[in-house]
């Protein structure tokens, strides 16, 4: 029986330089009893579950994230990842993948990488300290060597990660496909994201053609 293509999805998170700022956030953040629907949940399962095995590691200390903690947890999944995996990172999960793949040679063949609303640095990030060791090094060229099909997706209307971050990645990456959407509002807090589904399905078609 042919195994499904794996999608390893790394969710977003928050970080703070000082614990007191984290505590203040916990005391003042909005609370809702409604279940939030995001594109990387039921929508991704319904659209790609027939073709893909979607793996969603629950990264540690999501709202007080530390890169080294995430790295330890992420690396525990690598032995279970097969060649041809698709990596998707959302927001902080995106910069985690960008940092990890620009500092380590990934031991499995990566089919494609998608970084969604991914910050480049802490400049122009309202309300974000951008701490916890997620800072990228000056040279991130290894990211493109690990991910020959690399796509970064941004929104022109993102009030959390402004499109200026797309320009910063563009200056560092020679072959990445960088897309800035005008119709997506805010920080990709959307229920459906058909654009990324279509791109991943195209990746799967490439795989099938390669097997003929």
């Amino acid at each position: 029986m042919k195994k499904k293509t794996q999608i390893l999805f790394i969710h977003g998170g928050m970080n703070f330089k000082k614990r007191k700022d984290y505590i203040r956030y916990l005391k003042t953040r909005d609370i809702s009893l409604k279940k939030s629907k995001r594109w990387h949940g039921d929508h991704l399962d319904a659209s790609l579950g027939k073709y893909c095995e979607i793996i969603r590691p629950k990264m540690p200390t999501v709202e007080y994230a530390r890169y080294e903690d995430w790295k330890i947890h992420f690396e525990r999944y690598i032995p279970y990842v097969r060649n041809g995996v698709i990596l998707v990172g959302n927001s902080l999960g995106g910069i985690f993948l960008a940092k990890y793949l620009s500092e380590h040679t990934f031991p499995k063949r990566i089919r494609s990488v998608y970084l969604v609303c991914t910050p480049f640095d802490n400049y122009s990030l309202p309300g974000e300290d951008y701490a916890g060791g997620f800072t990228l090094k000056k040279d991130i060229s290894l990211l493109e060597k690990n991910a020959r099909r690399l796509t970064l997706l941004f929104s022109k209307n993102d009030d959390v990660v402004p499109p200026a971050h797309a320009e910063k990645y563009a200056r560092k990456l020679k072959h990445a496909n960088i897309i800035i959407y005008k119709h997506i509002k805010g920080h990709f807090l959307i229920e459906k994201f058909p654009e990324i589904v279509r791109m991943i399905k195209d990746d799967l078609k490439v795989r099938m053609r390669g097997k003929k």
Side-chain angles (χ1 to χ4, degrees):
M1 183 177 179
K2 184 176 65 178
K3 293 182 178 180
K4 295 180 178 180
T5 297
Q6 292 176 316
I7 296 176
L8 185 59
F9 176 84
I10 307 299
H11 58 69
M14 298 187 70
N15 48 33
F16 301 86
K17 288 182 180 178
K18 298 179 181 179
R19 179 170 172 78
K20 67 177 183 179
D21 297 325
Y22 169 56
I23 297 300
R24 184 184 304 114
Y25 161 75
L26 292 178
K27 291 181 177 180
T28 59
R29 64 177 176 172
D30 294 334
I31 298 297
S32 175
L33 301 181
K34 295 181 180 179
K35 179 184 176 180
S36 61
K37 295 182 179 180
R38 297 289 181 259
W39 64 268
H40 44 73
D42 293 341
H43 173 61
L44 213 59
D45 289 336
S47 303
L48 296 171
K50 180 180 178 180
Y51 318 100
C52 300
E53 175 191 0
I54 304 174
I55 305 166
R56 297 181 176 90
K58 186 177 181 181
M59 305 305 275
T61 54
V62 175
E63 292 175 328
Y64 196 36
R66 293 295 180 263
Y67 173 79
E68 287 300 324
D69 298 348
W70 282 35
K71 178 176 178 287
I72 291 170
H73 191 63
F74 176 75
E75 288 179 339
R76 293 191 63 192
Y77 282 79
I78 293 178
Y80 302 97
V81 170
R82 297 187 293 272
N83 285 326
V85 65
I86 295 172
L87 302 181
V88 182
N90 184 62
S91 194
L92 190 68
I95 196 169
F96 169 80
L97 287 179
K99 180 175 176 63
Y100 188 88
L101 295 175
S102 64
E103 296 180 2
H104 304 274
T105 299
F106 200 72
K108 307 293 177 66
R109 179 173 55 81
I110 298 173
R111 182 169 305 282
S112 55
V113 174
Y114 295 92
L115 306 180
V116 183
C117 55
T118 296
F120 181 85
D121 51 33
N122 64 337
Y123 297 105
S124 71
L125 289 181
E128 290 278 352
D129 281 333
Y130 196 65
F134 287 85
T135 304
L136 295 173
K137 293 183 177 180
K138 290 184 178 180
D139 184 359
I140 60 172
S141 59
L142 183 58
L143 170 59
E144 290 188 293
K145 294 179 181 178
N146 276 312
R148 295 184 179 181
R149 293 169 61 91
L150 173 62
T151 304
L152 290 84
L153 308 170
F154 296 87
S155 168
K156 186 177 181 180
N157 305 293
D158 194 335
D159 56 350
V160 178
V161 179
H165 290 257
E167 299 171 7
K168 294 177 181 181
Y169 276 107
R171 289 194 289 268
K172 290 286 186 176
L173 301 171
K174 296 180 180 179
H175 308 294
N177 181 27
I178 300 177
I179 303 172
I180 302 176
Y181 294 106
K182 295 180 180 180
H183 67 283
I184 294 177
K185 304 296 182 183
H187 193 54
F188 283 79
L189 301 179
I190 49 180
E191 293 186 15
K192 296 182 179 181
F193 192 5
E195 292 86 354
I196 196 171
V197 169
R198 285 195 294 268
M199 286 186 276
I200 292 174
K201 284 185 176 180
D202 285 342
D203 291 337
L204 300 180
K205 292 176 183 177
V206 170
R207 175 196 176 192
M208 297 308 296
R209 287 198 298 268
K211 286 184 172 293
K212 291 181 180 180

